[in-house]
């Protein structure tokens, strides 16, 4: 036996429970925002995570500490290509300029800028940027290993 609900009665029931519907909707919205904010945070970290590296005399340069997977793969490919080249090959400089672009946080320090302004930055800065970048990568890996070892039971 089916029951027919009066539309006016249904409207009254819905109105009585509107606050419950509002709470459910608010909870769903809060969850959605939470997850969207987490995605935004990950995207932001790729662009905004850096460490100021002291170059001496109070001068600092921002070295990125969170590359995307694509950028890390490019860094690996650049390293492999450098290993294939003989010393003195002009391509070596171009590869280094691209690596510096990837490692530095300043969006104006591009491979083209490094190439076009060779007389405006000291080579030792490139070495310091590379060293700081590699130190941070190694430090992250060491900390991961330590964290994993702390979970091991002996």
């Amino acid at each position: 036996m089916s029951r027919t609900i009066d539309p006016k009665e249904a409207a009254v029931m819905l109105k009585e429970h509107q606050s419950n519907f509002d709470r459910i909707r608010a909870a769903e919205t809060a969850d959605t925002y939470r997850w969207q904010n987490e995605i935004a945070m990950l995207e932001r970290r790729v662009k905004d995570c850096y460490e100021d590296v002291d170059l001496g005399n109070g001068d600092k340069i921002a070295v990125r500490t969170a590359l995307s997977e694509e950028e890390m793969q490019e860094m690996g490919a650049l390293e492999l290509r450098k290993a294939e080249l003989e010393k003195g090959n002009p391509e070596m400089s171009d590869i280094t300029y691209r690596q510096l672009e990837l490692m530095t946080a300043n969006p104006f320090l591009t491979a083209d800028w490094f190439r076009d302004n060779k007389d405006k930055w000291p080579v030792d800065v490139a070495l310091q940027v590379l060293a700081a970048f590699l130190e941070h990568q190694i430090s992250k890996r060491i900390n991961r290993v330590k964290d994993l070892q702390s979970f091991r039971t002996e």
Side-chain angles (χ1 to χ4, degrees), residues 6 17 25 32 35-36 67 69 74 76 106 109 113 153:
D6 176 31
H17 295 285
R25 191 173 304 112
T32 299
W35 300 127
Q36 288 174 339
L67 299 184
E69 180 178 352
E74 182 179 355
N106 184 334
L109 292 177
W113 185 91
T153 57

Side-chain angles (χ1 to χ4, degrees), residues 16-79:
E16 287 174 3
H17 295 285
Q18 186 61 46
S19 64
N20 292 332
F21 295 132
D22 291 344
R23 278 196 299 274
I24 291 169
R25 191 173 304 112
E28 289 172 348
T29 301
D31 276 350
T32 299
Y33 283 134
R34 175 184 176 212
W35 300 127
Q36 288 174 339
N37 285 335
E38 190 172 279
I39 289 169
M41 174 271 304
L42 290 172
E43 292 171 349
R44 187 177 59 249
R45 288 181 63 83
V46 169
K47 291 183 176 73
D48 296 344
C49 281
Y50 62 88
E51 178 179 296
D52 285 327
V53 173
D54 188 353
L55 300 174
N57 297 329
D59 295 331
K60 295 183 185 236
I61 189 165
V63 175
R64 294 178 63 203
T65 58
L67 299 184
S68 69
E69 180 178 352
E70 182 178 293
E71 290 168 326
M72 287 300 290
Q73 289 174 351
E74 182 179 355
M75 285 292 280
L78 290 169
E79 279 300 315

Side-chain angles (χ1 to χ4, degrees), residues 115-143:
R115 183 180 308 102
D116 297 341
N117 294 283
K118 295 175 192 175
D119 61 330
K120 295 185 175 110
W121 58 275
V123 172
D124 71 318
V125 166
L127 296 173
Q128 287 176 291
V129 167
L130 177 62
F133 179 81
L134 292 174
E135 282 175 18
H136 187 271
Q137 296 299 311
I138 291 169
S139 175
K140 280 185 358 187
R141 288 185 180 131
I142 288 171
N143 288 336

